[in-house]
Amino acid sequence: MRQSTLPGGGVKIMLSNLRTMWLVFLHLFHKKETIQYPEEKIKLHPRWRGRIVLTKDPDGGERCVGCYLCAVACPVDCIALQATEDENGRRYPEFFRINFSRCIFCGYCEEACPTYAIQLIPDFEMAEYNRQNLVFEKEDLLINSQGKYPGYNFYKVAGMDAGVKEKGEGDNEEPVVDIKSLLP
Amino acid sequence: MTVMQHIWIVIGVLFVLLNIAAGLIWVERRLLALWQDRLGPNRAGPLGLFIVLADTLKLFFKEDWIPPFADKKIFILAPAIVVGSVLLSFVIIPFAPNIVVADLNIGLLFFLAMSSLGVYSIVLGGWASNNKYALLGALRGASQMIAYEVFMGLSLMGVVMLTGSFNMGAIVEAQKDMWFIVTQPVGFFVFFIAGIAETHRLPFDIPEAESELIAGYHAEYSGMKFGMFFIGEYLGITLISAMMVALFFGGWLGPSFLPPLAWFALKTFFFIGVFILLRASLPRPRYDQLIEYGWKILLPVVLANLMITGAIALWMKGG
Ligand code: SF4
Ligand code: SF4
């Protein structure tokens, strides 16, 4: 049965309404939650997912190996790239384009990336008047820093020789087996 | 009073009222914000006051769209009625001694009649929109207005009995010794509730109820036609506040360190603030609760009040 508003109950409701009004009125003197944005910045956490960057390894080489995993992982298909190789066989993206007007900042690209190349950083101030300006090319994305994972160099731990180190010389890498010899 | 003086009063009242209605945009947004622990619009101009200008300009430049399925003539007429009827009600309000547009001897009745006319704008607006939500809002508006109109009139009869006149000036003068809030607290209480329902402000915004009926009767309105409903609402708040001041809180009466007009304005603004506080704090009752509350509680209460007031008035006269 639904609650009836008989006189007794009505008075009770009235009083509780007046109490509500008083309590709300007291909010006049509470601390305000508003952050006066352009003058007062919000504090973003280090792992906040914002503008995307492409990082470099400690030696200053591009980390991205053009594996397309980020482009595949992206749920809104806003990453476009074309892989190519330099004379040493080191892969890198010929172009790398992120359309930030479509990006939903989910961070899946960062999770998919095997080389820590693509990273989301705590920066959201990227409003533009022209939509086309939100399409970032490689030169807009590439930064001269290692981002969140300092010291990591993919080609130092990879098995292949791409001009960074000889085969078998990498960190934790066994020496190359001489396949022409029977000695252990 | 000369004709010229009269014209100046009319122009002055109109000017002040329309500016108050616009200014209330800012007042309401700031106050609501403060009560919700926010700051509200504070960027444009000093204290954000120019938000009024921005809002008005925005309304003027919005596309003024009339839906092809609407009943065009009535659709255009409806918003004008609400502003017109509320502005006409202001005619009888005594802002200060001698500052009243029309000192009618049936002032109070005129106010009641005009505020009842306001419901036409809701009903016609909802009907002409030819939209089911708008129509539902209009229906609710009509039944709410009919229900609350009754107590509104009855709640004021106590005041009329004690004064012996429908003239607003006389009613204010009769409060020289004691404000009617002291002798007629129940009447005030009922008039206040009926006033909220009459202006269909939150928590009694059943005809609009944006969370159930999108925007009720003005769902199809845009641009300045919507603006008229908007202004009509703010004018309605000002009207009910001014009426409460004049009827129960001694109108322009007050200690003489402030001019009468200032007293009237101060008291009115206090009640406007209460209206906004109501909006900030109370949730909307269900439709049937609202109607039930009206007929089952307020009507008996106001009738009892009327009877007791009448008995006491008679007894005092006889004794
Ligand atoms: S953050 Fe999400 S949406 Fe944005 S580029 Fe990466 S995967 Fe795509
Ligand atoms: S950014 Fe990472 S995932 Fe994307 S192509 Fe480059 S290496 Fe692969």
Side-chain angles (χ1 to χ4, degrees):
Chain A
M1 237 183 76
R2 78 202 167 84
Q3 207 189 344
S4 120
T5 39
L6 289 171
V11 169
K12 224 167 133 191
I13 292 170
M14 240 23 244
L15 289 179
S16 100
N17 280 350
L18 288 179
R19 183 167 167 273
T20 313
M21 285 172 68
W22 171 244
L23 290 180
V24 170
F25 177 75
L26 288 182
H27 273 266
L28 204 57
F29 311 108
H30 285 202
K31 192 179 157 290
K32 303 295 167 224
E33 298 292 343
T34 310
I35 296 173
Q36 301 254 43
Y37 164 60
E39 294 95 44
E40 202 183 323
K41 299 283 186 202
I42 193 169
K43 187 185 172 313
L44 296 177
H45 298 283
R47 293 206 285 180
W48 208 85
R49 300 197 308 261
R51 182 164 61 88
I52 298 174
V53 293
L54 288 176
T55 55
K56 287 184 177 171
D57 57 29
D59 305 331
E62 276 175 51
R63 267 180 178 160
C64 177
V65 295
C67 67
Y68 298 100
L69 282 178
C70 52
V72 170
C74 179
V76 293
D77 281 348
C78 67
I79 303 181
L81 70 146
Q82 172 63 55
T84 183
E85 272 177 23
D86 67 4
E87 63 279 11
N88 295 320
R90 177 180 174 138
R91 283 167 63 94
Y92 67 95
E94 193 176 356
F95 68 81
F96 198 108
R97 188 178 296 140
I98 299 185
N99 185 350
F100 279 111
S101 63
R102 287 173 74 180
C103 176
I104 56 173
F105 301 99
C106 61
Y108 285 4
C109 47
E110 180 174 359
E111 284 194 31
C113 181
T115 65
Y116 295 146
I118 193 164
Q119 295 182 6
L120 281 77
I121 61 170
D123 172 18
F124 60 86
E125 293 167 325
M126 45 196 307
E128 293 283 353
Y129 282 107
N130 188 345
R131 190 173 284 263
Q132 202 55 36
N133 293 346
L134 281 168
V135 178
F136 280 39
E137 294 293 340
K138 188 167 140 189
E139 55 269 29
D140 311 316
L141 295 165
L142 202 60
I143 59 166
N144 231 338
S145 149
Q146 305 173 46
K148 286 179 258 186
Y149 303 95
Y152 178 79
N153 188 339
F154 172 71
Y155 284 102
K156 281 266 167 69
V157 291
M160 70 178 295
D161 167 18
V164 176
K165 51 125 181 89
E166 295 294 316
K167 247 177 157 18
E169 309 259 285
D171 305 345
N172 306 328
E173 196 180 355
E174 308 256 307
V176 184
V177 177
D178 183 358
I179 51 169
K180 305 242 169 77
S181 156
L182 285 173
L183 290 173
Chain B
M1 231 191 294
T2 65
V3 177
M4 223 32 225
Q5 256 175 328
H6 216 114
I7 291 174
W8 277 119
I9 288 178
V10 171
I11 293 176
V13 167
L14 208 58
F15 179 79
V16 170
L17 281 180
L18 290 179
N19 276 309
I20 284 180
L24 279 183
I25 297 175
W26 176 79
V27 172
E28 170 153 45
R29 289 179 64 176
R30 279 312 288 260
L31 279 181
L32 273 183
L34 290 178
W35 282 320
Q36 293 166 351
D37 290 350
R38 296 183 287 119
L39 286 177
N42 62 352
R43 290 288 157 147
L47 291 173
L49 259 172
F50 290 174
I51 191 79
V52 175
L53 219 61
D55 265 1
T56 322
L57 282 179
K58 181 196 76 176
L59 277 179
F60 269 117
F61 286 106
K62 278 223 167 156
E63 184 184 1
D64 198 1
W65 194 66
I66 298 174
F69 45 80
D71 190 337
K72 205 170 159 197
K73 280 186 204 120
I74 301 179
F75 190 82
I76 296 173
L77 187 68
I81 295 179
V82 64
V83 177
S85 68
V86 177
L87 279 179
L88 275 176
S89 307
F90 273 106
V91 158
I92 49 101
I93 292 206
F95 297 97
N98 281 329
I99 304 191
V100 53
V101 177
D103 199 12
L104 299 178
N105 55 357
I106 50 146
L108 205 52
L109 288 182
F110 185 80
F111 158 76
L112 289 173
M114 280 304 138
S115 65
S116 317
L117 273 185
V119 73
Y120 277 100
S121 86
I122 293 186
V123 175
L124 291 181
W127 178 258
S129 296
N130 224 340
N131 164 323
K132 56 178 177 259
Y133 290 115
L135 188 60
L136 275 176
L139 284 177
R140 287 177 174 198
S143 56
Q144 172 178 335
M145 293 291 214
I146 289 172
Y148 280 78
E149 199 72 38
V150 176
F151 331 124
M152 189 170 214
L154 286 177
S155 64
L156 297 182
M157 289 311 123
V159 169
V160 174
M161 267 184 214
L162 293 180
T163 314
S165 166
F166 278 112
N167 182 303
M168 291 298 290
I171 289 176
V172 175
E173 286 296 343
Q175 302 178 58
K176 268 228 151 65
D177 303 323
M178 195 188 283
W179 290 357
F180 281 144
I181 178 69
V182 184
T183 42
Q184 283 287 313
V186 179
F188 166 71
F189 171 75
V190 176
F191 179 73
F192 182 57
I193 294 178
I196 309 166
E198 189 71 24
T199 49
H200 40 89
R201 280 283 295 177
L202 279 137
F204 291 166
D205 67 335
I206 304 274
E208 291 181 43
E210 62 259 32
S211 40
E212 316 161 27
L213 293 183
I214 42 182
Y217 62 94
H218 60 55
E220 295 289 353
Y221 282 88
S222 61
M224 210 47 212
K225 290 203 201 66
F226 166 74
M228 295 281 253
F229 279 122
F230 208 58
I231 288 176
E233 182 175 324
Y234 282 130
L235 281 176
I237 300 174
T238 319
L239 174 68
I240 298 292
S241 305
M243 282 305 282
M244 280 194 290
V245 169
L247 291 168
F248 296 100
F249 287 86
W252 67 74
L253 300 172
S256 60
F257 57 85
L258 278 180
L261 200 58
W263 275 115
F264 193 87
L266 263 182
K267 292 177 191 172
T268 308
F269 271 110
F270 172 78
F271 282 104
I272 291 175
V274 172
F275 265 98
I276 296 170
L277 178 60
L278 266 174
R279 173 172 181 181
S281 46
L282 297 185
R284 182 187 310 124
R286 227 170 39 218
Y287 175 62
D288 62 313
Q289 284 171 334
L290 179 84
I291 300 295
E292 193 182 60
Y293 188 67
W295 289 116
K296 287 198 190 158
I297 298 182
L298 291 185
L299 186 63
V301 164
V302 80
L303 284 177
N305 177 48
L306 200 60
M307 226 153 66
I308 293 168
T309 312
I312 291 178
L314 261 184
W315 177 69
M316 296 229 304
K317 228 186 215 163

